[in-house]
C-alpha cells in the first residue's frame, strides 16, 4: 500500500505544470453541463461524466507522456504491478468521484425542477417516458440513463489507461503519420469507414434501420421497467466492475511484458 | 295568350316561393335538429357540444396531415342514444401516403370486442335449451380436448365468461402471418393450449384461449361453423353487411377489399407505417371480427334495445347483462356474462379490443341508452380517445358513491404481477419483468373494495375515483381486480428477480473469463489460470443461454405476446444443451475441489465461483422453464 501511495503522489506531482490549463477547461465544461442540468433539463447532466474518461487520463499522464518520463520507474524502488495498481486506483477513483458527484447534483436538480417554473416545454425525460409508454418515473429513467453512460465512461477511462500503459503516445489519440500506417490504424480507419457507410445507408433509407432501432429501443425500454429500472442498473454496475477489472488485468499483463 | 303567360308566371313564382321557403324550412329544421342534438345532456352532465368541443380540440392537436408529425393514426368515433346516432367523427387517415382519410367506409379490426359475439351466441343457445352455462364445457367438447389441465374441477361457460377458468397466457404466438396456413379452429386451439395454473373460479386472468374455446363450444353445440353461426344469428338479423368474422375476411368481400386498402400505424418515437399487412388469428372467435363503425354501432344499439332483437325473449338479454362477478365481497358488478362493467357517473357495460393493427372500444349504458364506439387503425398501445372520450360521455365516478372509506390499504414495497401472463413455459420470466408497485395507499371501502382518488378531468376542484376488488387467495396472496386488469401480490418476487439477475450476471462474468483466457493465450501464459477447458465450455454455454433468452424476448415482443413454434423449438433445445453443460461443469469443479490435490488458492476460488455461476445458470433454466420447447 505504501508503494501505491508513493506512485500516486509522484503522478500528482508530475501532473502539475503545463497541463494545469486543461484542468480548468474540463472544470468549466463540467460546470456548464451541471448548470444546464439545473436550468435546462436534468437529462443534460447525463453527459456530465462522459468527458471525464477522456480528460482524466490525459490530465494525469500527459506530462509524463510528453517528457517520456515513464522510464523513471525503472530506477524507482517500485514493481510494475504497483504502478498499474496505483494508476488504476487513482484514475478510476477520480472518475468515480466525478460521476457520483455529478449524479448527486443532478438528483438535486430533479428535486428542484427549476425549468418547470419558467418554461412550459416538456422535459426531455418526461417526453421519453411518454413516447416509449414507460411506467418509470423521471428519476428512475434518469438513474437508468446515467448508469448506462457511467458504464461507458468508466470502461472507456480504464481502456484509455490500459492503452497508455501499452504505448503512452496512444493517450494523445494520434494516428501514425508517414508512408506506412500501423496495423491498428488501418483496422481503426477501416472500421470507421464501414460504420460511417452503415449509418449513411440507414439515414438514406437503403437499410431499414428506423424500424430495427424502434423495436430495439422499445425492447430495452421494456427490460428497463423490470423492478422500476433496478434490474438494468444492477447489470450496468456489474458490467462496469467487470470491464474495469478486465482492463486492469490486461494492463497488468501487458505492462509486465513491456520493454521500457 | 297574355292570360296564359300570367298564369304560368304566377304558378312558377308560387312554386319558387314554396320551394324556397321549403328549403328555408328544411334548413331551419335541420339547424334546429342540430341545435337540439348539441344540447343533448349526456350521462356525464355535459352537453354534447361541450363534450365534442373537448374531443375535437384534442383531436385537432393530435392529428396532422403528415405521418411524421401526427400523434394519431386514424380513428372514428360514434356517439348514439338509442337508435339515433348523435355524432360521428372521423380523424386522421387510413392511408397517409395517399392522403385517404378515415370515413364511413373504413373498416377496422374489432379485436377482443369479437368475444362479445361469443357471449351473445352462448346466451342464444341457452335460450334454446342447448347450452347450460353451469355445466362443465368438457361435456360439449370432443373427448380429451384439454391436455394440460391441472385440476379436475369443472370448467363452466361462466368461468370462461368471467375469465377465471385458471388458464395462463400461452407461449405460442396466436398470430399467423401466412393466410394459407390458417388451421381449423379445433387444431388452432389444441396447438396453443396453455397450462391451467389456478383452480377454476379462484383467480381472474383474461384469456384469449378460454374465449376461443367458448367459440368452439358454440360450434359443437350448434353443429355449425362458429363464423357461420355468428353470420346467421347476429350479423344477418341486424343487417350488419360490412362486418366479417373469418380470420382472413373471406366471408365478406367488401370488408376483405377495404381491409387491404387500410394502412395501420405505430405511433410513438418514430411513426411507422405498417402498410396493409394482415396477421391472422387461428383462434379466431377471440378477436377476428372486422368491420365498419356503423355496423359496430348497429350491434351495440341492438344490445341496448329493450326489444332484444338478438334474442327470442327479452329476459335472455336481461340475464346477459346480469352480474356474474363482483368486486371483492361487494355487490358491485365487474363482469356481466363476459361484458365488463365500468364505473363512471353511471355504470356502463363495455369491451375493448386490440390487435397488432387496430384498437376498438364499445361502451354503453343500458339505462340511459347512450353508447360510444371508437375504432383505430393504430396497433396495441394507449389511445387518448379510448382513455378519455367515454369519460366525457359517461362522466366520472365520485369518491363518495360507494360510501366513506373505512380504512387504508397500504401495499407499498410489495410487488404485484399481472394475472394475464405466461406462468408456465419458456416465457415464465415475462411476468417478472412487468411487476407493478403501488406507492400510494388505497382507501378501503366496505366489502373488500379499494378505491383510488384522483383529480377530475371534467370538473375543476372535484375528484374522480377508480375502484378495485380485493380477494385473498388460498395461498394467502392478495388479488386486486378491476374491469381492465387483475394483479396478484407475489411474495417471492424479489428472489425470482434476483435469480434472473444472477443468471444474466453469470453470463456476463463468463464472457469476461473467456476474454481473460484469450488474453492469457495471446501472451503465451498458462490459460489454466482462467480455469479448465470444461469451465471455458460452460462459460460459452452461459453466454449462449443468456443470448437465447434475450432473443426469445425480442421475438415475443415482435410477435406481440408469443413465440412461433420453430423459434420455440430452437430456443428450448439450445437451453437444454446449455443447462446440461452447466450442470456437468459444476459437477466437475465440485469433484476437483473435493478430490483434487495441490490446487492453488486461486484455482480453488475460480472453481468455487464456477460452481456457483453454473448452478445459478442451470437453476434459472430449470426454474424459468427456458427448456420447454413444447409449450406450457
Amino acid at each position: 500500500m505504501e508503494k501505491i501511495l508513493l506512485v500516486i503522489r509522484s503522478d500528482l506531482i508530475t501532473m502539475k505544470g503545463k497541463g494545469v490549463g486543461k484542468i480548468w477547461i474540463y472544470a468549466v465544461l463540467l460546470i456548464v453541463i451541471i448548470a444546464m442540468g439545473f436550468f435546462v433539463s436534468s437529462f443534460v447532466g447525463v453527459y456530465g461524466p462522459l468527458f471525464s474518461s477522456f480528460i482524466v487520463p490525459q490530465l494525469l499522464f500527459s506530462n509524463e507522456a510528453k517528457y517520456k518520463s515513464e522510464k523513471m520507474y525503472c530506477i524507482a524502488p517500485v514493481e510494475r504491478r504497483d504502478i498499474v495498481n496505483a494508476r488504476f486506483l487513482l484514475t478510476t477513483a477520480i472518475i468515480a468521484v466525478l460521476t457520483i458527484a455529478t449524479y448527486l447534483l443532478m438528483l438535486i436538480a430533479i428535486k428542484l425542477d427549476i425549468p418547470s417554473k419558467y418554461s412550459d416545454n416538456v422535459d426531455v425525460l418526461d417526453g421519453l417516458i411518454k413516447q416509449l409508454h414507460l411506467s418509470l418515473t423521471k428519476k428512475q429513467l434518469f438513474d437508468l440513463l446515467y448508469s448506462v453512460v457511467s458504464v461507458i465512461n468508466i470502461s472507456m477511462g480504464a481502456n484509455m489507461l490500459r492503452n497508455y500503459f501499452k504505448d503512452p503516445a496512444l493517450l494523445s489519440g494520434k494516428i501514425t503519420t508517414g508512408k506506412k500506417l500501423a496495423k491498428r490504424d488501418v483496422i481503426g480507419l477501416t472500421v470507421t469507414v464501414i460504420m460511417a457507410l452503415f449509418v449513411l445507408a440507414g439515414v438514406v433509407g437503403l437499410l431499414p434501420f428506423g424500424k430495427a432501432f424502434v423495436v430495439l429501443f422499445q425492447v430495452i425500454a421494456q427490460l428497463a421497467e423490470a423492478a422500476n429500472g433496478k434490474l438494468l442498473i444492477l447489470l450496468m454496475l456489474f458490467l462496469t466492475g467487470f470491464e474495469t477489472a478486465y482492463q486492469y488485468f490486461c494492463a497488468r499483463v501487458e505492462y509486465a511484458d513491456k520493454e521500457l | 295568350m297574355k292570360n296564359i303567360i300570367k298564369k304560368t308566371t304566377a304558378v312558377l313564382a308560387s312554386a319558387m316561393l314554396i320551394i324556397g321557403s321549403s328549403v328555408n324550412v328544411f334548413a331551419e329544421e335541420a339547424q334546429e335538429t342540430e341545435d337540439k342534438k348539441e344540447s343533448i345532456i349526456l350521462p356525464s352532465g355535459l352537453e354534447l357540444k361541450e363534450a365534442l368541443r373537448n374531443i375535437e380540440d384534442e383531436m385537432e392537436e393530435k392529428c396532422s396531415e403528415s405521418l411524421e408529425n401526427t400523434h394519431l393514426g386514424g380513428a372514428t368515433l360514434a356517439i348514439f342514444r338509442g337508435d339515433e346516432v348523435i355524432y360521428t367523427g372521423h380523424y386522421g387517415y387510413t392511408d397517409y401516403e395517399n392522403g385517404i382519410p378515415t370515413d364511413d367506409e373504413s373498416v377496422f379490426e374489432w379485436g377482443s370486442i369479437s368475444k362479445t359475439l361469443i357471449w351473445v351466441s352462448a346466451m342464444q343457445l341457452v335460450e334454446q335449451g342447448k347450452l347450460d352455462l353451469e355445466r362443465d364445457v368438457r361435456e360439449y367438447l370432443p373427448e380429451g380436448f384439454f391436455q394440460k389441465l391441472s385440476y379436475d374441477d369443472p370448467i363452466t361457460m361462466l368461468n370462461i365468461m368471467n375469465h377465471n377458468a385458471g388458464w395462463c397466457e400461452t407461449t405460442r404466438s396466436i398470430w399467423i402471418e401466412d393466410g394459407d396456413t390458417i388451421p381449423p379452429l379445433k387444431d388452432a386451439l389444441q396447438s396453443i393450449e396453455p397450462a391451467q395454473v389456478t383452480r377454476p373460479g379462484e383467480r381472474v386472468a383474461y384469456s384469449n384461449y378460454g374465449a376461443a374455446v367458448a367459440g368452439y363450444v358454440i360450434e359443437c353445440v350448434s353443429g355449425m361453423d362458429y363464423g357461420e353461426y355468428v353470420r346467421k344469428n347476429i350479423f344477418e338479423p341486424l343487417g350488419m353487411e360490412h362486418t366479417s368474422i373469418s380470420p382472413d375476411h373471406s366471408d365478406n368481400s367488401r370488408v376483405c377489399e377495404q381491409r387491404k386498402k387500410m394502412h395501420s400505424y405505430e405511433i410513438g418515437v418514430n411513426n411507422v407505417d405498417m402498410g396493409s399487412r394482415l396477421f391472422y388469428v387461428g383462434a379466431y372467435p377471440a378477436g377476428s371480427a372486422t368491420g365498419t363503425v356503423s355496423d359496430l354501432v348497429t350491434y351495440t344499439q341492438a344490445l341496448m334495445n329493450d326489444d332484444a332483437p338478438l334474442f327470442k325473449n327479452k329476459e335472455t338479454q336481461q340475464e346477459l347483462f346480469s352480474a356474474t362477478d363482483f368486486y371483492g365481497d361487494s355487490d358491485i358488478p365487474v363482469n356481466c356474462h363476459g361484458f365488463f362493467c365500468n364505473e363512471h357517473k353511471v355504470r356502463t357495460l363495455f369491451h375493448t379490443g386490440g390487435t397488432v393493427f387496430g384498437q376498438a372500444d364499445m361502451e354503453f349504458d343500458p339505462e340511459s341508452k347512450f353508447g360510444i364506439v371508437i375504432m383505430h387503425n393504430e396497433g396495441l398501445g394507449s389511445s387518448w380517445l379510448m382513455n378519455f372520450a367515454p369519460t366525457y360521455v359517461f362522466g366520472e365516478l365520485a369518491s363518495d358513491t360507494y360510501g366513506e372509506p373505512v380504512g387504508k390499504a397500504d401495499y407499498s414495497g410489495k410487488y404485484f404481477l399481472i394475472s394475464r401472463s405466461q406462468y408456465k413455459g419458456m416465457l415464465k420470466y415475462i411476468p417478472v419483468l412487468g411487476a407493478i408497485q403501488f406507492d400510494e395507499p388505497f382507501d378501503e371501502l366496505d366489502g373488500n373494495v379499494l378505491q383510488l382518488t384522483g383529480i377530475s378531468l371534467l370538473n375543476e376542484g372535484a375528484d374522480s375515483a377508480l375502484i378495485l376488488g380485493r380477494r385473498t387467495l388460498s395461498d394467502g396472496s392478495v388479488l386486486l381486480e378491476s374491469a381492465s386488469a387483475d394483479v396478484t401480490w407475489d411474495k417471492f418476487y424479489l428472489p425470482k428477480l434476483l435469480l434472473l439477475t444472477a443468471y444474466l450476471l453469470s453470463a456476463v462474468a463468463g464472457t469476461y473469463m473467456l476474454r481473460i483466457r484469450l488474453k492469457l493465450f495471446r501472451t503465451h501464459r498458462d490459460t489454466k489460470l482462467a480455469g479448465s477447458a470444461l469451465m471455458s465450455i460452460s462459460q460459452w454455454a452461459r453466454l449462449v443461454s443468456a443470448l437465447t433468452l434475450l432473443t426469445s424476448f425480442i421475438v415475443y415482443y415482435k410477435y406481440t405476446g408469443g413465440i412461433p413454434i420453430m423459434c420455440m423449438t430452437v430456443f428450448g433445445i439450445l437451453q437444454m444443451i446449455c443447462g446440461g453443460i452447466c450442470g456437468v461443469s459444476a459437477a466437475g469443479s465440485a469433484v476437483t475441489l473435493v478430490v483434487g490435490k495441490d490446487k492453488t488458492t486461486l484455482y480453488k476460488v475460480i472453481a468455487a465461483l464456477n460452481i456457483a455461476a453454473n448452478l445459478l445458470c442451470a437453476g434459472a433454466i430449470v426454474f424459468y422453464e427456458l427448456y420447454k420447447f413444447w409449450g406450457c
Side-chain angles (χ1 to χ4, degrees):
Chain A
M1 195 64 196
E2 230 179 82
K3 289 184 180 176
I4 289 172
L5 289 173
L6 190 70
V7 173
I8 290 173
R9 252 183 253 125
S10 165
D11 284 339
L12 288 172
I13 291 166
T14 312
M15 184 188 79
K16 291 176 190 173
K18 286 194 176 177
V20 168
K22 288 181 191 169
I23 299 176
W24 288 110
I25 295 169
Y26 175 58
V28 167
L29 190 64
L30 193 59
I31 288 167
V32 165
I33 288 173
I34 290 171
M36 285 178 74
F38 272 88
F39 295 104
V40 176
S41 168
S42 44
F43 178 71
V44 179
V46 167
Y47 293 96
L50 207 54
F51 300 102
S52 56
S53 62
F54 291 112
I55 306 240
V56 167
Q58 291 252 358
L59 285 175
L60 287 172
F61 308 115
S62 58
N63 280 341
E64 186 184 90
K66 188 177 173 184
Y67 299 114
K68 296 182 176 38
S69 52
E70 60 163 332
K71 293 183 186 180
M72 179 186 73
Y73 286 108
C74 293
I75 53 168
V78 288
E79 291 179 29
R80 291 193 185 195
R81 67 161 185 252
D82 295 324
I83 302 167
V84 175
N85 290 347
R87 287 179 171 179
F88 261 86
L89 201 62
L90 179 64
T91 311
T92 52
I94 292 174
I95 294 174
V97 164
L98 287 169
T99 304
I100 293 167
T102 313
Y103 173 73
L104 291 172
L105 285 169
M106 287 302 103
L107 283 189
I108 298 170
I110 291 173
K111 191 87 181 167
L112 292 176
D113 198 13
I114 296 172
S116 67
K117 293 176 174 54
Y118 66 80
S119 169
D120 289 331
N121 288 338
V122 174
D123 188 271
V124 173
L125 292 171
D126 290 324
L128 272 175
I129 289 167
K130 200 175 164 187
Q131 292 273 20
L132 296 174
H133 306 296
L134 296 175
S135 60
L136 299 172
T137 62
K138 190 169 156 181
K139 184 194 168 291
Q140 285 164 352
L141 180 59
F142 175 78
D143 283 348
L144 192 59
L145 292 172
Y146 200 87
S147 63
V148 171
V149 170
S150 300
V151 168
I152 298 168
N153 178 44
I154 295 175
S155 304
M156 270 169 39
N159 184 256
M160 282 198 73
L161 188 57
R162 174 191 164 191
N163 286 338
Y164 175 71
F165 277 114
K166 265 201 283 196
D167 181 359
L170 289 172
L171 194 68
S172 58
K174 288 179 190 170
I175 59 170
T176 49
T177 54
K179 287 180 187 173
K180 201 175 176 184
L181 287 173
K183 186 180 169 188
R184 61 175 170 82
D185 295 331
V186 170
I187 295 170
L189 275 171
T190 312
V191 167
T192 307
V193 167
I194 291 171
M195 280 177 67
L197 286 172
F198 219 52
V199 170
L200 197 64
V203 166
V204 173
L206 279 173
L207 291 173
F209 277 169
K211 280 183 192 177
F213 271 128
V214 166
V215 169
L216 195 62
F217 213 48
Q218 287 178 331
V219 164
I220 293 171
Q222 292 286 313
L223 281 173
E225 288 190 315
N228 295 325
K230 293 185 185 74
L231 172 70
L232 263 190
I233 290 172
L234 197 60
L235 281 172
M236 292 296 116
L237 289 173
F238 271 93
L239 205 56
T240 311
F242 284 137
E243 183 65 26
T244 307
Y246 174 71
Q247 298 295 343
Y248 162 75
F249 171 79
C250 290
R252 277 279 296 264
V253 167
E254 287 158 0
Y255 198 53
D257 291 343
K258 188 180 173 183
E259 294 287 336
L260 287 175
Chain B
M1 186 64 184
K2 271 188 187 174
N3 276 340
I4 293 170
I5 293 170
K6 271 188 192 172
K7 281 180 186 173
T8 310
T9 313
V11 166
L12 278 173
S14 306
M16 280 178 69
L17 205 63
I18 292 166
I19 291 168
S21 56
S22 299
V23 166
N24 277 343
V25 165
F26 286 140
E28 278 171 11
E29 271 181 12
Q31 187 57 45
E32 217 176 283
T33 310
E34 203 54 43
D35 289 342
K36 270 188 189 164
K37 264 192 195 174
E38 287 189 341
S39 54
I40 288 173
I41 305 294
L42 300 168
S44 60
L46 295 176
E47 277 189 342
L48 177 65
K49 64 181 173 199
E50 195 184 340
L52 293 180
R53 192 175 51 241
N54 282 299
I55 292 170
E56 285 173 353
D57 283 350
E58 190 70 29
M59 289 297 103
E60 204 178 299
E61 213 179 287
K62 286 190 176 325
C63 292
S64 166
E65 292 204 353
S66 76
L67 180 59
E68 289 75 33
N69 299 321
T70 190
H71 298 288
L72 180 86
T76 293
L77 163 73
I79 302 172
F80 43 96
R81 179 178 58 179
D83 289 334
E84 187 191 6
V85 178
I86 55 178
Y87 175 75
T88 308
H90 299 289
Y91 315 103
Y93 294 82
T94 57
D95 186 347
Y96 271 88
E97 199 181 339
N98 296 310
I100 302 173
T102 56
D103 60 22
D104 291 337
E105 298 297 308
S106 307
V107 298
F108 300 91
E109 296 182 358
W110 284 28
S112 290
I113 297 179
S114 313
K115 292 180 176 70
T116 61
L117 297 168
I118 306 171
W119 316 139
V120 168
S121 303
M123 292 308 290
Q124 288 175 336
L125 292 173
V126 166
E127 195 175 48
Q128 294 166 34
K130 292 181 180 174
L131 183 66
D132 182 346
L133 298 181
E134 297 189 42
R135 270 171 79 175
D136 192 336
V137 296
R138 282 174 280 190
E139 295 180 33
Y140 301 110
L141 296 168
E143 184 79 28
F145 183 80
F146 296 123
Q147 296 292 310
K148 296 178 184 175
L149 294 180
S150 304
Y151 301 92
D152 288 329
D153 300 37
I155 300 171
T156 65
M157 280 294 275
L158 275 179
N159 288 137
I160 293 176
M161 287 168 162
N162 288 333
H163 294 280
N164 61 12
W167 287 301
C168 64
E169 280 286 276
T170 176
T171 46
R172 299 239 171 110
S173 175
I174 62 168
W175 309 103
I176 300 166
E177 287 191 65
D178 182 358
D180 294 331
T181 60
I182 303 171
L185 179 58
K186 183 187 175 197
D187 296 345
L189 287 171
Q190 289 187 315
S191 74
I192 64 166
E193 183 184 353
Q196 188 186 36
V197 294
T198 52
R199 197 174 291 280
E202 187 176 81
R203 188 181 310 199
V204 175
Y206 188 91
S207 175
N208 282 320
Y209 171 77
V213 165
Y216 186 56
V217 168
I218 305 294
E219 214 170 87
C220 294
V221 169
S222 66
M224 292 166 73
D225 174 79
Y226 172 75
E228 194 188 332
Y229 179 91
V230 168
R231 276 190 295 281
K232 274 195 133 40
N233 293 282
I234 299 177
F235 292 171
E236 283 172 19
L238 297 182
M240 291 168 65
E241 294 175 356
H242 301 295
T243 304
S244 78
I245 184 73
S246 293
D248 57 358
H249 317 305
S250 54
D251 57 329
N252 190 307
S253 56
R254 180 82 181 127
V255 169
C256 194
E257 186 193 319
Q258 284 294 98
R259 178 63 186 86
K260 284 175 185 162
K261 290 181 194 169
M262 186 195 86
H263 285 221
S264 52
Y265 299 95
E266 233 177 70
I267 304 294
V269 176
N270 287 310
N271 294 340
V272 176
D273 181 349
M274 295 195 280
S276 50
R277 285 172 69 194
L278 287 171
F279 275 2
Y280 306 94
V281 184
Y284 73 95
S288 67
T290 302
T292 58
V293 69
S294 58
D295 267 12
L296 185 53
V297 166
T298 302
Y299 171 62
T300 315
Q301 286 171 326
L303 291 171
M304 286 198 296
N305 191 329
D306 289 336
D307 292 334
L310 287 168
F311 303 101
K312 290 183 183 141
N313 305 307
K314 296 174 192 179
E315 290 74 29
T316 309
Q317 181 160 293
Q318 287 165 8
E319 193 188 334
L320 173 64
F321 298 139
S322 63
T324 51
D325 194 13
F326 302 87
Y327 284 104
D329 302 324
S330 71
D331 57 3
I332 306 169
V334 67
N335 190 314
C336 299
H337 292 88
F339 287 80
F340 294 105
C341 299
N342 219 345
E343 297 292 320
H344 292 277
K345 196 170 175 182
V346 296
R347 182 175 296 146
T348 59
L349 293 163
F350 82 101
H351 211 296
T352 55
T355 69
V356 179
F357 305 118
Q359 299 173 64
D361 186 16
M362 170 188 81
E363 192 160 356
F364 58 95
D365 173 14
E367 299 290 324
S368 65
K369 307 297 179 203
F370 277 92
I372 184 170
V373 154
I374 303 163
M375 303 183 99
H376 278 279
N377 63 349
E378 279 171 50
L380 295 162
S382 181
S383 155
W384 183 92
L385 267 181
M386 281 172 60
N387 287 337
F388 294 106
T391 303
Y392 286 112
V393 175
F394 299 111
E396 295 165 314
L397 179 69
S399 58
D400 56 1
T401 304
Y402 291 113
E404 292 301 315
V406 298
K408 289 277 186 192
D410 189 356
Y411 294 110
S412 56
K414 293 182 170 45
Y415 290 91
F416 287 79
L417 302 188
I418 296 170
S419 298
R420 181 190 177 181
S421 193
Q422 287 84 353
Y423 286 92
K424 289 272 181 186
M426 66 166 52
L427 293 176
K428 195 176 163 187
Y429 65 90
I430 295 291
V432 174
L433 296 178
I436 295 166
Q437 278 190 291
F438 298 103
D439 296 323
E440 299 290 328
F442 295 94
D443 290 326
E444 264 184 23
L445 305 179
D446 281 331
N448 259 325
V449 175
L450 303 178
Q451 182 169 273
L452 275 173
T453 309
I455 301 166
S456 169
L457 171 70
L458 303 180
N459 304 306
E460 209 174 308
D463 59 28
S464 79
L466 174 75
I467 58 169
L468 298 106
R470 176 177 58 189
R471 282 186 221 274
T472 304
L473 303 176
S474 54
D475 61 359
S477 56
V478 172
L479 167 77
L480 300 181
E481 68 173 324
S482 70
S484 48
D486 305 292
V487 294
T488 312
W489 171 30
D490 189 342
K491 293 181 216 175
F492 301 107
Y493 175 72
L494 282 177
K496 286 178 187 172
L497 184 70
L498 280 171
L499 176 61
L500 187 63
T501 312
Y503 160 77
L504 293 171
L505 284 174
S506 75
V508 172
T511 312
Y512 278 96
M513 288 305 290
L514 288 169
R515 289 176 77 184
I516 288 171
R517 175 180 287 273
L518 185 63
K519 188 68 189 173
L520 289 169
F521 177 74
R522 282 184 177 161
T523 52
H524 310 292
R525 281 174 167 78
D526 185 6
T527 54
K528 281 191 183 156
L529 286 172
S532 65
L534 185 57
M535 285 185 195
S536 179
I537 293 169
S538 69
Q539 285 151 10
W540 275 110
R542 296 203 301 268
L543 176 62
V544 167
S545 174
L547 288 175
T548 306
L549 181 122
L550 289 172
T551 309
S552 74
F553 184 74
I554 294 171
V555 171
Y556 157 84
Y557 195 81
K558 182 183 183 288
Y559 282 92
T560 323
I563 301 181
I565 295 171
M566 179 62 85
C567 293
M568 197 182 288
T569 309
V570 170
F571 295 155
I573 291 172
L574 272 175
Q575 294 286 12
M576 274 177 149
I577 295 170
C578 293
I581 292 171
C582 290
V584 167
S585 177
S589 293
V591 166
T592 313
L593 264 183
V594 169
V595 169
K597 294 173 187 174
D598 301 325
K599 296 292 178 192
T600 61
T601 310
L602 177 65
Y603 190 86
K604 286 178 185 170
V605 168
I606 290 173
L609 288 174
N610 185 63
I611 293 169
N614 284 314
L615 284 179
L616 277 169
C617 182
I621 290 172
V622 168
F623 178 79
Y624 284 108
E625 299 180 6
L626 302 179
Y627 56 90
K628 266 193 184 173
F629 62 86
W630 54 89
C632 289

